[in-house]
Amino acid sequence: MSGAEVERAQAAGDPAGEVEARYSLARVALRGGDLRGGEARAREALDVALRSRDRSLEERPRHVLAAVARMSGDLSRARVLYQDSIALNEALNQPRMVTSETHNLALCELGLGNLDVAKRLMAESRERVFRNGWADFVPYVCVAGAALASAEGDHARAARLSGVAEAAFAALGQIPDPDDAADLTAVRTAGVKALGVNAYALERARGKHLDARTALDEEHP
């Protein structure tokens, strides 16, 4: 369907439709684990957006390119791309996307070992999410909390917040994006190594019954 939409949009001179279709192809590639294909489709979408001179069309391709860099392990490049994406979304007055990209930037900083910066960015995202009632962002702030707890060596807390995140995704009928799924997998791997399979599973199960905001407030007084 997206391939057909690319052809239709090109014939109609509809850059917005073409960017959306190529962005969809990029997301399909990432869901299938094809980082190279996802990057190529996102670059094609960005080229169309740049030719259109409509900056709003740049947002989605730039988001994917940053995600590819993070999932590829090039965290320094991902950091720059997320910072650029945040600046773009601020210029476009899109606070939800600013919050989303701040979340992603925080996880890059965490991966780079910049815990204080990561904590500050996560706190900013968490405050915006709950202040604005953005329920669809709640699972992601829980993922961030779990990743931070794991990095700090508190694997029981990380397990509980992983459980909170999984329950929050399930409540929305969603699954994590590939980059966030990778973060949860890393939390689990470290937690099982530190606590053992049974203890980790017990803490994770406990988390599934906790209220997300209460759990986050308790974990980060």
Side-chain angles (χ1 to χ4, degrees), residues 8-73:
R8 183 210 66 76
Q10 287 178 325
D14 174 13
E18 185 177 353
V19 168
E20 181 67 23
R22 292 190 184 280
Y23 164 76
S24 295
L25 290 171
R27 284 180 58 87
V28 169
L30 293 188
R31 288 286 184 184
D34 180 6
L35 297 183
R36 182 174 297 180
E39 181 178 20
R41 302 293 83 75
R43 289 196 179 282
E44 291 167 358
L46 182 58
D47 286 345
V48 175
L50 292 171
R51 288 197 300 270
S52 77
R53 298 182 181 276
D54 181 350
R55 293 215 71 199
S56 68
L57 298 184
E58 298 178 27
E59 180 266 312
R60 290 191 168 187
R62 290 190 183 280
H63 167 73
V64 171
L65 290 172
V68 168
R70 182 156 84 92
M71 294 173 69
S72 299

Side-chain angles (χ1 to χ4, degrees), residues 23 46 54-67 79-105 128 134 137:
Y23 164 76
L46 182 58
D54 181 350
R55 293 215 71 199
S56 68
L57 298 184
E58 298 178 27
E59 180 266 312
R60 290 191 168 187
R62 290 190 183 280
H63 167 73
V64 171
L65 290 172
R79 175 170 57 186
V80 172
L81 294 177
Y82 280 125
Q83 288 170 338
D84 290 345
S85 185
I86 289 169
L88 173 63
N89 280 288
E90 287 175 340
L92 296 172
N93 192 29
Q94 297 185 150
R96 285 174 60 90
M97 284 308 303
V98 169
T99 300
S100 176
E101 297 297 65
T102 299
H103 159 82
N104 290 315
L105 177 59
R128 290 175 190 160
W134 292 336
F137 283 6

Side-chain angles (χ1 to χ4, degrees), residues 126 130 141-142 145 161 211-221:
R126 190 166 63 247
F130 288 114
V141 297
C142 295
L161 288 173
D211 171 75
R213 185 165 190 174
T214 300
L216 286 162
D217 287 346
E218 288 177 350
E219 303 299 353
H220 297 280

Side-chain angles (χ1 to χ4, degrees), residues 164-177:
V164 176
E166 291 170 15
F169 278 118
L172 294 171
Q174 297 179 2
I175 59 173
D177 287 339

